[in-house]
Each structure stands twice: as structure tokens, then as C-alpha cells.
Amino acid sequence: MSDHRMSDRRAFGVHAVLVAASLAMVVPFVWQVVTSLKTLSDATRVPPTFLPEGRWDNYAKVFDLLPFGEQFVNTVVMAAGRVVGQVLFCSMAAYAFARLRFPGRNVLFGVFLSVLMVPPQLFVIPQYQIMSSLGWLNSLQAIIVPGLFSAFGVFLLRQFFLGLPRELEEAARLDGAGPVRIYWSIMLPLARPGLVALSVLVLLWAWNDLFWPLVVNTDPEKMTLSAGLASLQGQYQTDYPVLMAGSLIASLPVIAVFVFLQRQFIQGIAHTGSKG
Amino acid sequence: MTTTAGSRAVRAARVEKARRPRAEALWGYAFIAPTGLGLAIFYLWPVLQTAYFSFTEWGAFGGHTWTGLDNYTRLLGDPEVGRAVLNTLTYTALGLVGIPLAIVFAALLNRPGLRGVSVYRTAFFLPVVTMPVAVAMLWRWLYNGDYGLVNQVLATVGIDGPNWIADPATAMYALVVVGIWSSIGYNLIIFLAGMQAIPKELYEAASLDGAGRVRQFFSITLPMLSPTAFFVSIVSVIGSLQLFDLVFVMTGSGQSARANPAYGRLQTVVQLFYERAFVTNDRGYAAAIVIALLVLIAGLTILQFRLQRRWVHYV
């Protein structure tokens, strides 16, 4: 074991490289915070000032320029809807594919997987037309409903269910439990780590999604934060302190969730890697 | 008495046995129904429709007419399409530099006994969880020619930096840096998981044979990690070919994009698709553009699978 421990000099070198890289990752965010607390004229001073100035009115201004409160609620509802929908629907399908026997199971699973291979841009025009014909443009349904279904979620959870022991199910079946009972009271509790990993990924993707919300909801009141932010930038190209304040509040909620659920996030990401 | 009861029980069990698979099959279909219908309506049918639309032209008031291969012949002769494909391929190729970078940092983090791993990992991961729109706005500010932090820092060593994202000579490189910066944490996590799956005995045997850390990295870690690297490269290439968020916001979120002198060097295939489908409402042509994108993605993925024999080691 002793040869695995690093000499102090080597350890110092490794830390020096890692600290430099970490600074490259973090300094832009620090600069974002500093800029968001300056007046425009101070932000555009050469050479720059490095201390924040406590100009909180940039944050208030974001709410004046955009219906930011509504957009925040839209984003929360969209993300929550997609998470709940995918956890429920994907786990149901994943359980069936992992444990129940029915004719055509493998073919159907192959069809589900084929969706994963298609670049998502191919869905957009027809999805837009469906929304338009339902009268759902500029609505919450438009940004939630297509996101309730996911081939990726089914695939991820099926792998998870396949790894679970069968004994508990067998015992429950001998006691006369049907598939619904087994799914709900045995499989779901056992699969909790998998469900959490999926939830965290869906939350991240939903919160940060731009293309689809940008296309279907063009009314500022119905936009999500990412689309709203993009439109704010479209109008106020150069008011950087306000743009930095807006981008900070928009991205902070997911960053906060990440800090609290770091282990689950990282496991979720590592799971996406294990499909290879 | 006992015999009839017995045979009845046997018969009941037989009926039960025959009925169970049928009930189980019905439950199977019921359980996959919600996702199955959702995928059929919102994903599978749309793919077929998009393929059909690519052979049509859309009128100003909705409605579309069959025009055969017109969109595709137009596409092949359209310099804007050629430019967008070239930009996208350049971004994808340059972005591959992020993979060896992620391997190096993962190897550094994977050293036994290293302190502060979780702090470093959090730093690398921060850009991964940040909204791409916010990332793009932040970097647009950092890259600002007059007041951006990048040029302010360069000025202290006497370098007069360009207007990075608006200068045709630098715009693509500046974009690639942001792409790598925001995805390195994701790749790093996958490589770390891959490294932790390498059996420790290999390293023990190697160090008994007198191989140092660097030697071990090249003769154990890298070959054992090559399937992971293959996966990461497949996923990165697919992702890069679909680049939209970063470039959309860095070029000014639509409205003023074409005023950017470097726009011709940045515009990606998906960005062109967005403009044709939802700005100029030329949806038949837009459909042909994404079908071309599908072909591009499939082609490069197949090419990578062909090439994997040369460098991926499977145990």
C-alpha cells in the first residue's frame, strides 16, 4: 500500500493542476455574481473593479423587464410534471419489460429503443403541429405533455429492475399478489435509487431545456426561464449586469438541488454511461 | 370423495396455470400502454411525418404540396447549408479535444489517497448543471471585446485581445472552448466510474513488476478505459452535431444574430433548421435539413463503430 501513497512533492503537483482547473471552472461564475451587483457604467470600466457593489436593483430590474415570476412558476410546474410523469409511466413500462411475459415483448422493447436513436429535432415540426391543432400553443400542457414519455427512462429503469433480486416477488406471488400489487408495493420501493437517479436527470434536462419551450410558447407569460432569458438577451444585448442577474436566478435552483443531491446526480450521470 | 376433490383441485390448478400467462400478458400490455401510446403519438409518428414533409413545400397560409426531391436538390446546392454543415463538423472535431482532457483530470482525481476529491469534482460539475442559456450569456460577457474579463486579463500582459465571438477568425475556437468547459465535468464523471471498475490487482501486479504511475496509466488505465472512451466519443459527437443552445444565445438569441460578423462561421445545422422551421416557416425545407442531419449523425456513428476495432480493447 505504501507505494500507492504519493510523495508530498507529487501530491503538490497534482493539487496545483487541479486547483488551476477548478479555478477555470469557478471564476466565470464568481465574475457573473460580481457583475450582477454592479451598475452598467462600473461593469464597463477599464481596468475593471473586482469588488461587488451591492447593486441589488439589477435583480429587481429582471422582474420589471420580464414576467420572471410567472416564468419561474411555469418552469417549476413543467419540471415537476415531467419528473412525476416519467417516474410513473417509465417505471410501469420498465417493470413490464423486465418481469412480465407477453407476446411481442422484445419487438416492442426494440421499437421503444429506436426512439433513442433518433435526433430529437426530427420530432419537433409534427409535435408543433399537434400542439397547434389542439390549441395548446402558449400553454403549460404544451411544454409538459410530450415530456411525460421517455424511451430513455424506460431503458434506464428496466436495467435497474433486471438487477433486483426476485425472491421478494416470488414470495408475494405465492401469497396471491397480482402484478399491480407487486409493482407498487415491492418493485417501486426497491427501485428507489433508480427512480431518484431518473428524477434528477429529468429535472436537470427539463429545467435547462431551450428548443421546445422556445418554439411552442412565444407569449412571455407562458415562457420557461431559459426561453425567457434568451428573449431578454435578444432585447437588452448589452446591459450585462441585468443579464448576469437574470441568468443567475434562472440557473440557481438546479444548482442548489445539485448541491443537496450531489451523490444522486453523479450516480444518475454515471448510469447514463453504463448503457454503453 | 377425496379423489373427486383432489381431481377438481388439479383441474383448477391447471386452469389457473393456463389463465395466469394470459392475465400476465394483459397486464404487460396495460403497463406499457401509457409510454407506448405517448411514444407512438409524439415520437414515432412524427419521425414518419418529418420524412414525408421533407418531400413537400409549405405555402404561406399553411397547407403543403408534394414536390418530390426538390428540397433535397435545393439543399445540395445551398451554400448556407454547406457552411452550416462545415461549421458543425468543425465544432464536433475540435470538441473531441475535451475527451483526453477529461481522461487526464479523471486520472488525477482517481489517485489513491488524494484529498479534496469531492471539492474538485463539484467544481468540474458546476457548468454541467448550469442552464446552457446562462452559460452562453456568461461567456458572451467574458468574451466581450472591450470590457470582457478575458481581454482585461490579457491586457495586463500587454495583449490586445480580439472581440472573440464576433471576430470570424476566433469565433469558432471561442465557442469550442465554452463547449468543452461545460461538458468536461460530465465526461469526467463517466471516466471516473470507468476507472473505478478496473480491477486493482492489475495495478498491484504492475507495481510488483516495477512499473511506475505513468507507465501504469498508459499500459493499464488507457487500454482498460477505451470502451468508456468509445462510449463518450459516440455521445459527444452526437451531441456536438446537434449544437443549438450555446450558439443560439452566443450569437445574440435570434433577433440580431445576422448582425454578428462571425455568424457565417458559427451558424450550426440545428440553428439553420430552427430558422427555416420557425422563423421563415419554410417547414418542408427544414424537414429536409433535419433528415440530412440524421444521415450525418448515423454516418459518423457507423464510422466510429467501424474504427473502434483499431483502438478499443474489450476484455
Side-chain angles (χ1 to χ4, degrees):
Chain A
M1 204 54 209
S2 66
D3 56 341
H4 273 193
R5 210 163 292 143
M6 282 175 281
S7 69
D8 284 352
R9 236 171 73 218
R10 264 235 186 108
F12 180 80
V14 170
H15 280 294
V17 173
L18 288 172
V19 167
S22 303
L23 282 176
M25 295 291 135
V26 174
V27 165
F29 292 110
V30 175
W31 195 240
Q32 182 183 27
V33 176
V34 170
T35 304
S36 77
L37 294 170
K38 286 178 174 178
T39 61
L40 181 58
S41 63
D42 281 337
T44 53
R45 185 164 291 170
V46 181
T49 54
F50 288 96
L51 288 178
E53 296 163 22
R55 284 282 170 174
W56 295 101
D57 37 328
N58 289 322
Y59 288 85
K61 216 164 152 191
V62 173
F63 286 84
D64 291 342
L65 297 175
L66 280 181
F68 218 66
E70 281 91 337
Q71 294 180 353
F72 194 88
V73 173
N74 294 343
T75 313
V76 170
V77 172
M78 170 189 74
R82 288 190 191 180
V83 169
V84 172
Q86 282 197 33
V87 164
L88 180 67
F89 294 152
C90 294
S91 67
M92 285 168 62
Y95 165 65
F97 282 125
R99 287 292 205 263
L100 301 178
R101 276 156 304 174
F102 49 91
R105 184 174 75 169
N106 292 339
V107 174
L108 283 168
F109 188 62
V111 172
F112 274 43
L113 280 194
S114 70
V115 176
L116 270 181
M117 320 255 171
V118 180
Q121 294 80 17
L122 268 86
F123 311 131
V124 172
I125 295 176
Q127 282 184 349
Y128 180 89
Q129 285 193 296
I130 296 174
M131 295 303 148
S132 162
S133 58
L134 289 171
W136 281 7
L137 294 178
N138 289 309
S139 75
L140 279 173
Q141 303 91 286
I143 48 178
I144 295 173
V145 173
L148 297 177
F149 315 104
S150 158
F152 169 78
V154 174
F155 179 76
L156 183 78
L157 293 181
R158 175 180 167 270
Q159 294 295 96
F160 208 88
F161 283 136
L162 285 176
L164 294 177
R166 284 176 178 270
E167 289 78 20
L168 277 171
E169 281 173 85
E170 302 290 347
R173 188 168 299 135
L174 289 178
D175 286 348
V180 179
R181 268 268 303 285
I182 291 176
Y183 158 76
W184 188 257
S185 13
I186 294 176
M187 295 305 266
L188 280 192
L190 283 177
R192 233 173 101 190
L195 301 180
V196 172
L198 177 65
S199 307
V200 157
L201 288 173
V202 176
L203 168 72
L204 177 67
W205 292 334
W207 193 274
N208 294 341
D209 192 10
L210 176 66
F211 199 106
W212 178 245
L214 182 75
V215 163
V216 278
N217 288 2
T218 47
D219 172 2
E221 307 265 321
K222 298 294 180 192
M223 278 181 184
T224 57
L225 285 171
S226 65
L229 208 53
S231 79
L232 179 72
Q233 191 219 19
Q235 297 162 53
Y236 304 91
Q237 295 281 330
T238 51
D239 196 343
Y240 284 106
V242 171
L243 293 179
M244 289 304 105
S247 60
L248 206 62
I249 346 177
S251 45
L252 218 47
V254 168
I255 293 178
V257 173
F258 163 65
V259 170
F260 283 112
L261 294 177
Q262 201 173 144
R263 212 160 45 87
Q264 286 83 351
F265 252 102
I266 289 182
Q267 273 169 0
I269 296 287
H271 271 304
T272 67
S274 61
K275 74 179 172 187
Chain B
M1 189 75 181
T2 46
T3 48
T4 46
S7 65
R8 201 179 297 151
V10 167
R11 202 181 312 137
R14 214 178 279 147
V15 169
E16 178 58 29
K17 221 173 184 182
R19 195 190 295 146
R20 203 168 66 96
R22 244 185 64 210
E24 189 177 313
L26 288 179
W27 279 117
Y29 296 126
F31 271 94
I32 65 168
T35 303
L37 290 175
L39 291 181
I41 295 169
F42 291 106
Y43 296 87
L44 291 167
W45 178 238
V47 173
L48 300 177
Q49 271 189 302
T50 296
Y52 164 73
F53 289 154
S54 73
F55 298 107
T56 63
E57 190 180 332
W58 290 48
F61 306 99
H64 45 270
T65 48
W66 180 267
T67 53
L69 287 171
D70 281 8
N71 287 325
Y72 289 99
T73 45
R74 179 178 156 202
L75 188 124
L76 289 174
D78 186 343
E80 203 175 15
V81 170
R83 208 178 61 183
V85 169
L86 187 68
N87 291 340
T88 307
L89 289 176
T90 311
Y91 176 84
T92 304
L94 293 175
L96 288 176
V97 174
I99 295 179
L101 267 182
I103 294 180
V104 168
F105 287 122
L108 291 179
L109 282 176
N110 197 36
R111 295 193 138 220
L114 188 81
R115 290 180 178 203
V117 172
S118 65
V119 178
Y120 294 130
R121 209 174 47 187
T122 307
F124 279 110
F125 213 63
L126 215 48
V128 178
V129 290
T130 305
M131 184 182 278
V133 176
V135 166
M137 280 171 56
L138 168 57
W139 276 92
R140 203 172 131 94
W141 169 226
L142 293 170
Y143 277 144
N144 183 291
D146 300 318
Y147 318 110
L149 187 62
V150 173
N151 281 356
Q152 304 256 29
V153 170
L154 288 177
T156 60
V157 290
I159 298 174
D160 186 15
N163 193 353
W164 297 94
I165 211 72
D167 185 332
T170 54
M172 177 53 80
Y173 300 102
L175 182 69
V176 169
V177 167
V178 181
I180 292 175
W181 181 83
S182 55
S183 64
I184 197 165
Y186 172 85
N187 295 341
L188 185 114
I189 296 298
I190 299 210
F191 282 128
L192 262 179
M195 284 177 186
Q196 274 147 18
I198 301 175
K200 299 277 171 293
E201 297 79 42
L202 290 178
Y203 292 105
E204 278 157 20
S207 58
L208 282 180
D209 288 347
R213 282 234 150 248
V214 175
R215 179 75 199 282
Q216 290 179 19
F217 175 76
F218 282 103
S219 32
I220 299 174
T221 311
L222 272 191
M224 293 295 285
L225 207 59
S226 58
T228 312
F230 178 65
F231 166 78
V232 170
S233 129
I234 295 278
V235 172
S236 313
V237 167
I238 292 176
S240 295
L241 291 172
Q242 296 174 22
L243 182 72
F244 175 74
D245 299 13
L246 276 185
V247 76
F248 177 72
V249 176
M250 288 189 88
T251 51
S253 296
Q255 283 96 332
S256 64
R258 279 167 193 279
N260 183 337
Y263 191 64
R265 292 291 177 89
L266 291 176
Q267 186 191 38
T268 61
V269 174
V270 175
Q271 202 173 7
L272 183 63
F273 162 70
Y274 167 79
E275 290 169 3
R276 289 292 160 271
F278 298 102
V279 181
T280 57
N281 290 323
D282 194 356
R283 297 209 173 120
Y285 193 47
I289 292 174
V290 278
I291 295 290
L293 178 68
L294 172 71
V295 171
L296 196 64
I297 290 176
L300 285 181
T301 305
I302 291 168
L303 181 72
Q304 289 188 81
F305 269 95
R306 285 268 168 87
L307 290 177
Q308 71 168 323
R309 229 172 298 139
R310 305 224 179 130
W311 65 280
V312 181
H313 299 259
Y314 290 101
V315 188

